[in-house]
Amino acid sequence: MEYRVLGETGLKASTVGFGVWTVATTMWGINDDEVGIRLLRRAFDLGINFFDTADVYGDGKGETLLADALEGHRDEIVIATKFGYDFYNYPGVQPGQRERPQDWTPTFVRSACEKSLQRLRTDHIDLYQLHNPRLSALQNDDLFATLEALKQEGKIRSYGAALGPALRPERQVEEGLYSVKERRMAVQIIYNMLEQQLGEPICPAAKEAGVPVIVRVPHASGILEGRYTTETTFDTNDHRSFRLVNDQMRQEWLINGLKKLEKLRFAAESAGRTPGQMAIQWLLAQPAIVSVLPNIYDHAQLEEFAKAPDTPPFTQEELNKVADLYAHNFYLEPLEAAP
């Protein structure tokens, strides 16, 4: 395992982290807490020490599950969690998968922080992230005064912003650049070989500002793992199922995604990397990226991804070829417009 410094905390975080949302919600097909606990413990055994969760995952379960799994190892792990959604007054999945209301008031933020500390069974949070903030929240000086006070009190070591939701990348670019340039804080973004809209502008700005970037969805929701086929389907309770609700969406995401993966396989096979390891190593070529959070939902994946930093780093020639593919839509024919 490789480790990089998590910004101002000075803590060394594993370059492959564990995003707890896959085991704390049912969105990836895991319904048994014991499965999640075993995966978290095995990740720790493999050298993964960076764990990213949120208070809203399972309405608190994402934090309690992590505490249950790694009790007694607090000084050996780096914990990131998130805040901002008011699941206390709006519990459970919202109608139509709508976002829950957010609350950035000092009173709510302090209360949310205290409750997270209790669920995590710790006296401090290493990285406390605004969860899907809009620009108005990032410009809220009262909010950041509260975060600075929590730092002074030792309740958090640092703060940052986890950007989302995924459907508005153009807005997230603005939010990400404001976060790193004006607030000088860590950002968490969706970034992968097929979806580079956020990483291209934000990573260079973060490097210049000297702040860390954390990446989630590095495998484009599984496309870059190399496990899917053109016949792949998902259970209705799996969040990926929405990508296959009609033939047009299936073509755009799954079919074209698999065609793009075929164009990228040169960077796996020539260097002895699996496709999943290739996707992680490509991201780690960027020095601003401290940790990559693959979606982990079974032991085979976990073992494979944890070994990604041990595979050969990308050469400049490989990086240039990937850049050329992306710039030219992987040399695929344009999709026909839906009738």
Side-chain angles (χ1 to χ4, degrees):
M1 183 58 65
E2 178 186 3
Y3 301 86
R4 295 182 181 179
V5 176
L6 184 65
E8 63 181 339
T9 69
L11 298 170
K12 291 184 178 180
S14 53
T15 51
V16 176
F18 196 121
V20 181
W21 82 302
T22 57
V23 298
T25 71
T26 60
M27 298 177 72
W28 292 84
I30 295 178
N31 299 292
D32 184 349
D33 289 353
E34 285 302 313
V35 172
I37 287 173
R38 288 195 295 271
L39 285 168
L40 288 163
R41 288 175 177 168
R42 180 57 182 158
F44 178 76
D45 291 341
L46 291 169
I48 292 174
N49 77 340
F50 182 68
F51 296 90
D52 176 78
T53 188
D55 60 2
V56 77
Y57 294 165
D59 289 4
K61 187 169 78 171
E63 294 175 329
T64 58
L65 195 70
L66 180 59
D68 289 342
L70 298 177
E71 189 170 13
H73 295 288
R74 178 63 186 96
D75 293 340
E76 302 168 76
I77 62 175
V78 181
I79 295 177
T81 192
K82 309 179 191 75
F83 69 97
Y85 284 115
D86 183 7
F87 67 92
Y88 302 99
N89 291 309
Y90 300 87
V93 177
Q94 301 299 289
Q97 300 285 328
R98 290 197 301 266
E99 282 188 272
R100 304 179 218 215
Q102 293 175 318
D103 191 337
W104 306 110
T105 62
T107 299
F108 181 84
V109 171
R110 279 194 166 276
S111 175
C113 184
E114 293 293 346
K115 289 182 172 67
S116 285
L117 290 169
Q118 292 168 14
R119 287 188 292 265
L120 289 163
R121 299 199 286 278
T122 184
D123 62 356
H124 69 280
I125 295 163
D126 299 310
L127 176 60
Y128 200 40
Q129 302 162 100
L130 288 75
H131 201 169
N132 296 347
R134 308 309 192 252
L135 191 61
S136 58
L138 297 170
Q139 295 173 333
N140 184 335
D141 289 336
D142 289 340
L143 166 58
F144 283 87
T146 302
L147 292 172
E148 284 293 331
L150 290 171
K151 274 179 62 177
Q152 293 300 315
E153 295 163 20
K155 297 182 187 296
I156 64 175
R157 283 190 169 176
S158 65
Y159 52 80
L163 304 180
L167 298 178
R168 295 294 300 277
E170 69 284 349
R171 196 198 71 213
Q172 290 175 55
V173 169
E174 182 180 16
E175 293 158 354
L177 292 177
Y178 188 91
S179 296
V180 300
K181 291 181 178 181
E182 303 300 326
R183 294 297 183 184
R184 300 274 170 167
M185 64 181 184
V187 290
Q188 182 182 141
I189 61 174
I190 292 174
Y191 188 20
N192 56 67
M193 299 173 92
L194 306 185
E195 299 168 296
Q196 301 184 31
Q197 304 97 314
L198 301 185
E200 282 187 335
I202 291 173
C203 282
K207 181 184 177 184
E208 183 176 350
V211 298
V213 176
I214 299 154
V215 171
R216 67 182 187 274
V217 199
H219 295 106
S221 295
I223 292 286
L224 295 173
E225 291 179 29
R227 293 180 170 196
Y228 295 172
T229 72
T230 56
E231 305 303 316
T232 292
T233 59
F234 304 103
D235 290 336
T236 55
N237 65 341
D238 188 309
H239 86 106
R240 291 167 291 181
S241 63
F242 87 92
R243 296 179 178 272
L244 306 177
V245 296
N246 58 52
D247 289 342
Q248 181 74 7
M249 292 183 71
R250 172 180 283 273
Q251 176 73 32
E252 290 178 353
W253 179 67
L254 181 61
I255 308 303
N256 266 19
L258 291 174
K259 290 178 181 178
K260 292 173 182 179
L261 174 59
E262 288 305 308
K263 301 275 189 175
L264 292 167
R265 282 189 182 275
F266 78 91
E269 295 162 356
S270 64
R273 315 177 186 108
T274 67
Q277 292 168 339
M278 167 195 72
I280 293 172
Q281 271 289 24
W282 178 78
L283 289 163
L284 294 180
Q286 300 219 30
I289 295 174
V290 169
S291 192
V292 176
L293 304 171
N295 294 319
I296 296 168
Y297 40 91
D298 67 45
H299 282 272
Q301 277 181 312
L302 173 58
E303 301 283 338
E304 175 189 345
F305 298 159
K307 294 174 184 175
D310 299 328
T311 63
F314 263 63
T315 65
Q316 190 59 55
E317 182 180 0
E318 288 174 322
L319 291 171
N320 291 344
K321 187 169 180 179
V322 173
D324 178 71
L325 286 169
Y326 186 79
H328 294 91
N329 191 35
F330 296 83
Y331 295 95
L332 299 182
E333 292 296 324
L335 283 176
E336 294 183 7

